Amino acid sequence: MGFTVLAVLLALSIHAEQTAPGMAALTLFITVLGILLAGLGADLIAYTVAHAAVPDRREVGQMIRVAGGALLSVVVPMILIGLSGLGVIRLARALTISQIVIMVTLGVIALIALRRVPLPLWQRAALVATLMAIGAFAVVLELVAHLL
């Protein structure tokens, strides 16, 4: 989800001067909601294929909790976009700060996920650095695509 949010924030930041904060927030929310619903549908199909059965209420609840938890990735960007709507900061600045927050969040999540993996510290650090590099490269590609 983080890379999707990052891509949307980047696309919005390229057009920040022509975009109202409300429209930026709506675009981000609709995109994230669409991705979450698609992921939930994919989880339902994957579960059914893997277990040859429809998930029970508990499993569906777990899938919904995971999908809902992914919504947390847009809390800080939405707050910052809201502050730009109130005139506290410019939208372009809010989107830039949001991108940085998402990149850092991706790194922290990777560190947390890898903390119990029995790998040497340098390998875990290399994996986190790789994830961060992929995120930075995605940002660069999006930027190049919008500048062409």
Side-chain angles (χ1 to χ4, degrees):
M1 178 60 62
F3 287 118
T4 300
V5 172
L6 195 57
V8 172
L9 290 170
L10 180 63
L12 288 169
S13 68
I14 290 170
H15 305 288
E17 299 305 321
Q18 299 89 8
T19 305
M23 187 55 66
L26 184 61
T27 299
L28 181 59
F29 179 76
I30 289 171
T31 303
V32 168
L33 184 62
I35 296 297
L36 287 176
L37 291 174
L40 181 59
D43 284 348
L44 289 168
I45 296 300
Y47 182 95
T48 303
V49 169
H51 300 280
V54 176
D56 61 23
R57 176 178 275 170
R58 184 184 58 78
E59 289 292 332
V60 171
Q62 176 63 21
M63 291 175 194
I64 291 170
R65 278 189 296 284
V66 168
L71 278 176
L72 293 175
S73 66
V74 296
V75 170
V76 171
M78 287 296 206
I79 290 170
L80 291 167
I81 292 169
L83 288 173
S84 75
L86 296 172
V88 176
I89 59 175
R90 290 183 19 253
L91 180 59
R93 175 66 50 102
L95 296 170
T96 300
I97 295 169
S98 295
Q99 291 171 49
I100 293 166
V101 167
I102 294 298
M103 287 294 295
V104 170
T105 301
L106 285 170
V108 169
I109 289 170
L111 282 172
I112 291 169
L114 292 170
R115 75 175 186 265
R116 293 189 201 140
V117 176
L119 292 173
L121 180 59
W122 72 268
Q123 287 180 337
R124 286 182 287 186
L127 286 169
V128 172
T130 300
L131 176 66
M132 300 297 286
I134 290 169
F137 186 63
V139 168
V140 169
L141 286 178
E142 284 286 327
L143 190 58
V144 168
H146 281 87
L147 294 177
L148 294 179

